[in-house]
Amino acid sequence: MRLTYLMGLWMALSLFCSSQSMAAVKAYRASILHFVADPARYGDQAWQYFQDGALVVEDGKVKEVGNHSDLWQKFREAEWIDHSGRLIVPGFVDTHVHYPQTEMIAAYGEQLLEWLNTYTFPTERKYKDYDYARRQSRFFIDQLLRNGTTTALVFGTVHPESVDALFDEASRFNMRLIGGKVMMDRNAPDYLVDTPETSYTESKALIQKWHGRNRLLYAITPRFAPTSTPEQLTAAGKLKSEFPSTYVHTHVSENPNEVAWVKSLFPERSGYFDVYEHYGLAGDRSIFAHGVHLTDAEFDRMAATRSSIAFCPTSNLFLGSGLFKLFPAMEKGIRVGMGTDVGAGTSFSMLQTMNEAYKVVQLQGQKLSSLQSFYLATLGGAQSLGLDDKIGSFKTGNEADFVVINWGATALSKLRTRNSKTLQDKLFVLLTLGDDRHIFETYVDGKRVYRAK
Ligand SMILES: [Zn+2]
């Protein structure tokens, strides 16, 4: 009698426990696309597509991806969510964006240097106020999520408060976000400069506070060579050597006048990129935005130092900066990610960024395939940040950041998609006609953080 009672209790308990553990497993049925390598190099070996697929997630991590028919059997007890007819891809990675410039996107008429003085610097002044910066951070992160972007490498302003606000806001979703305080001690208004000493101590305090906290990471962020003295670049290099796992995030060779200016400011260096290399700021965790006017020899140095480039097509076109040589850079072995570069960039949408990337490459007489575009916006971005062991694909154990996409969210994309015969064509239509209206849901750390209304 007593034994039967105990056995009954044990069985009830074990049933309860197993139902508890299975309840934590969620499985999403949809068409699923992800990359395991660069399709330009590895062809069809580089990507996996499951027309009727399933993505299984447990405790914020990818458990398995595959055909629905196989995984349905294996994870019968999981909570199944049906997105049949939609597409799931890994969350987009934006490798270069300025959150304080969100409010000044679409500013008319100038090229880089005038644009900075006329629009950017007066706007960035406001971010000394933590509460203001926090409100703007909330708006910014909402824009990322509604566009399916789950990781970004982000410029703050010169004020440490701007970084605290951004990281506090990203913490609400446990996002994998990289950011940093701008270092800038010359050629900018008095109200927006620091010094070599304060930029060092403030950046160091932010690194100690935020770098590696949950999923957050810190980037040492000199704005660009013209706004830092040699003393400040030395301080930035010192920070990098003291905290080697941090990132370096800056701009290089965006605009011809800027390149000429750097030459006059650093006549002893062989070129723009050499300035950064000289101060110890090149390396496998260094991301340089633009690189439009880098020479072939500079591409070689970038490849040799394992540095990455953020390709920002909407910005390069908007500011009239020039056409980035995507294929030559990648053929050198340089890792390239896509960046929106808002507010010189004109959209938070990585779909629209891919759209403009295609045109930049077309203007140089080459073709950027839809598969390679989606690779660059996901795994390529993760690789350029050295984070491909954590994000950018649905490898088992990766962090479960992903996007559910509606192929035909507008009348036009619906009409055109209906005529698509191949996956490649469907993806091309999506990136050409798509925008935030096509993002149905966004998941960060296994949790839904956005759903279209
Ligand atoms: Zn930028």
Side-chain angles (χ1 to χ4, degrees):
M1 171 74 181
R2 191 182 163 143
L3 191 65
T4 321
Y5 170 76
L6 280 175
M7 278 183 69
L9 194 67
W10 177 81
M11 279 177 72
L13 198 68
S14 57
L15 263 175
F16 174 76
C17 290
S18 76
S19 72
Q20 283 298 94
S21 65
M22 286 315 279
V25 180
K26 290 192 175 183
Y28 301 84
R29 182 180 189 179
S31 298
I32 296 176
L33 171 71
H34 77 134
F35 295 85
V36 294
D38 178 358
R41 285 192 178 188
Y42 296 92
D44 289 347
Q45 303 298 310
W47 52 283
Q48 286 189 310
Y49 180 66
F50 305 98
Q51 166 70 32
D52 183 9
L55 174 68
V56 184
V57 172
E58 184 177 33
D59 295 332
K61 299 280 192 318
V62 174
K63 200 170 169 67
E64 207 164 328
V65 67
N67 286 312
H68 172 261
S69 55
D70 302 333
L71 297 182
W72 168 248
Q73 292 295 326
K74 194 167 169 185
F75 296 99
R76 214 181 302 202
E77 303 299 319
E79 181 188 342
W80 281 84
I81 295 120
D82 192 1
H83 284 304
S84 297
R86 300 195 175 103
L87 171 70
I88 290 181
V89 296
F92 295 128
V93 179
D94 184 345
T95 60
H96 179 65
V97 60
H98 301 248
Y99 96 83
Q101 296 177 14
T102 306
E103 59 181 287
M104 49 150 290
I105 192 170
Y108 173 77
E110 306 294 352
Q111 292 215 346
L112 176 66
L113 302 176
E114 300 74 25
W115 176 86
L116 282 172
N117 286 317
T118 312
Y119 300 112
T120 312
F121 292 151
T123 303
E124 291 194 0
R125 181 179 203 171
K126 298 189 249 178
Y127 289 73
K128 178 159 182 45
D129 177 352
Y130 172 87
D131 292 334
Y132 184 81
R134 184 76 192 262
R135 283 197 299 280
Q136 297 308 117
S137 295
R138 181 164 292 205
F139 188 91
F140 168 76
I141 286 177
D142 179 69
Q143 288 297 310
L144 294 184
L145 299 177
R146 69 173 48 245
N147 281 285
T149 298
T150 52
T151 285
L153 174 57
V154 188
F155 258 69
T157 64
V158 75
H159 317 100
E161 293 85 351
S162 71
V163 176
D164 282 333
L166 176 70
F167 280 152
D168 277 334
E169 198 54 34
S171 298
R172 292 176 57 225
F173 304 105
N174 196 23
M175 283 180 86
R176 187 160 282 292
L177 197 95
I178 314 169
K181 172 203 122 65
V182 170
M183 303 171 77
M184 176 157 72
D185 69 342
R186 67 168 166 175
N187 294 320
D190 290 346
Y191 59 76
L192 216 56
V193 290
D194 52 14
T195 69
E197 295 74 31
T198 58
S199 68
Y200 173 83
T201 52
E202 289 173 355
S203 298
K204 184 171 179 168
L206 288 166
I207 291 168
Q208 288 167 332
K209 183 173 178 185
W210 293 109
H211 184 62
R213 182 155 150 187
N214 298 319
R215 299 173 73 199
L216 301 171
L217 295 161
Y218 194 84
I220 298 160
T221 310
R223 174 168 227 117
F224 65 153
T227 49
S228 287
T229 58
E231 294 71 31
Q232 184 167 62
L233 292 173
T234 303
K238 184 162 184 268
L239 280 170
K240 178 63 185 167
S241 68
E242 288 171 359
F243 301 95
S245 66
T246 57
Y247 288 82
V248 172
H249 183 199
T250 187
H251 301 88
V252 72
S253 297
E254 178 177 0
N255 168 292
N257 293 339
E258 171 213 16
V259 175
W261 192 20
V262 171
K263 213 180 195 63
S264 71
L265 290 169
F266 298 91
E268 72 285 7
R269 303 269 51 100
S270 66
Y272 196 159
F273 182 70
D274 186 46
V275 175
Y276 295 125
E277 197 178 348
H278 173 76
Y279 289 100
L281 298 171
D284 65 358
R285 286 202 156 203
S286 297
I287 290 84
F288 296 88
H290 309 303
V292 171
H293 303 284
L294 288 172
T295 63
D296 210 42
E298 286 178 306
F299 270 168
D300 286 337
R301 288 311 304 160
M302 288 205 91
T305 56
R306 301 271 304 131
S307 302
S308 297
I309 296 179
F311 171 30
C312 307
T314 75
S315 167
N316 296 159
L317 294 173
F318 182 73
L319 290 182
S321 301
L323 306 175
F324 176 61
K325 298 186 270 295
L326 175 66
F327 290 146
M330 293 187 79
E331 278 154 21
K332 293 274 187 190
I334 299 170
R335 289 169 299 156
V336 179
M338 293 254 196
T340 61
D341 194 27
V342 165
T346 51
S347 174
F348 277 100
S349 170
M350 292 304 286
L351 297 171
Q352 277 309 294
T353 305
M354 294 182 225
N355 178 19
E356 300 302 301
Y358 175 79
K359 296 170 189 170
V360 165
V361 172
Q362 271 283 48
L363 282 164
Q364 299 173 81
Q366 293 169 315
K367 293 177 197 171
L368 178 59
S369 76
S370 58
L371 282 170
Q372 201 176 8
S373 298
F374 275 86
Y375 157 77
L376 287 172
T378 56
L379 182 64
Q383 287 170 334
S384 76
L385 299 174
L387 289 174
D388 47 308
D389 58 337
K390 296 182 174 64
I391 58 165
S393 77
F394 294 136
K395 202 168 57 180
T396 298
N398 266 15
E399 297 164 355
D401 294 344
F402 58 97
V403 201
V404 183
I405 294 176
N406 268 339
W407 293 104
T410 62
L412 185 60
S413 59
K414 191 183 280 177
L415 173 83
R416 176 60 181 83
T417 301
R418 220 178 283 148
N419 294 331
S420 288
K421 303 261 184 313
T422 63
L423 172 66
Q424 284 84 341
D425 187 53
K426 258 178 117 168
L427 290 170
F428 187 67
V429 172
L430 178 64
L431 75 86
T432 306
L433 301 179
D435 52 26
D436 57 342
R437 291 170 295 182
H438 293 73
I439 305 301
F440 183 65
E441 288 182 342
T442 304
Y443 288 75
V444 167
D445 196 28
K447 295 181 197 70
R448 193 176 73 199
V449 292
Y450 170 76
R451 179 171 212 186
K453 294 201 174 62

